[in-house]
Amino acid sequence: MKPVAQSSKQSTRAEWFDNLIATLKTHELQLETNTASEEMRQVYDIFMGDDLDAMFKMNKDTTQKYFVRKIIVEYLKSLDKNLPQKLAFDFNDSEVLVWAEINDNDEVQEKILARAESRINSIFHPYGFDMESMIVEKGDNLPIPNHYKTFKA
């Protein structure tokens, strides 16, 4: 008799494969009937092509979007109700960049932001993503850089 854990794992694996095949068949039908989205068509064109560079770039872009979104959400959860006066984000290949404006000499807010950044880095560094913060004070009178996306102004 098979152990329950192994039987459950096999059942989960079989269900996963069944769902995968059903999804692929649905996509095949959409591609054949020209009802697939342009994004889906591009993905399958890349999968079926010989351009490994395009495939790995698509994978990199998808991975980056996933982690950037997840990092920002986790960062905002870490701050909870302790948002700075102004807050904006940008990102590059492996970092989420934070621009935060706090009140002058607000060491408590600065520590909250530093703690949130440290938490994010401890969680996401193993996946190749980090956070880098630029904390400025209101009295510095600096605008949010143009390439940052404003979250709170």
Side-chain angles (χ1 to χ4, degrees):
M1 205 169 192
K2 294 180 183 176
V4 174
Q6 185 178 6
S7 176
S8 175
K9 189 174 184 179
Q10 287 174 335
S11 174
T12 301
R13 184 180 299 132
E15 182 180 339
W16 182 86
F17 274 112
D18 288 346
N19 289 336
L20 175 63
I21 297 302
T23 299
L24 289 172
K25 288 289 189 187
T26 301
H27 289 178
E28 180 182 31
L29 180 62
Q30 290 174 326
L31 290 165
E32 287 175 354
T33 60
N34 291 321
T35 57
S37 68
E38 183 58 32
E39 182 180 358
M40 182 187 294
R41 188 173 304 288
Q42 288 174 355
V43 167
Y44 279 98
D45 286 348
I46 290 171
F47 281 163
M48 295 183 312
D50 291 331
D51 190 352
L52 289 177
D53 290 343
M55 187 179 305
F56 284 113
K57 181 177 182 329
M58 180 182 68
N59 184 47
K60 177 185 169 276
D61 292 346
T62 303
T63 300
Q64 184 180 45
K65 286 177 190 174
Y66 171 81
F67 279 108
V68 166
R69 185 177 304 121
K70 195 166 173 101
I71 286 169
I72 291 173
V73 167
E74 282 299 315
Y75 180 73
L76 293 171
K77 282 183 192 176
S78 292
L79 295 179
D80 192 27
K81 294 178 182 9
N82 297 306
L83 292 176
Q85 299 298 307
K86 293 183 181 179
L87 184 63
F89 298 98
D90 192 18
F91 65 93
N92 60 34
D93 282 343
S94 61
E95 292 178 313
V96 172
L97 307 171
V98 176
W99 191 95
E101 180 181 282
I102 62 175
N103 287 322
D104 294 339
N105 303 313
D106 189 347
E107 292 181 23
V108 171
Q109 181 69 56
E110 191 169 351
K111 285 180 183 177
I112 289 169
L113 294 171
R115 193 174 308 119
E117 178 184 329
S118 295
R119 180 177 177 275
I120 293 302
N121 288 336
S122 71
I123 294 169
F124 293 100
H125 180 77
Y127 302 103
F129 290 89
D130 293 296
M131 177 173 273
E132 183 71 33
S133 297
M134 172 63 68
I135 302 171
V136 299
E137 293 183 340
K138 190 173 185 170
D140 295 332
N141 230 7
L142 296 171
I144 295 173
N146 291 336
H147 58 285
Y148 280 70
K149 303 293 181 232
T150 301
F151 180 79
K152 180 182 177 200

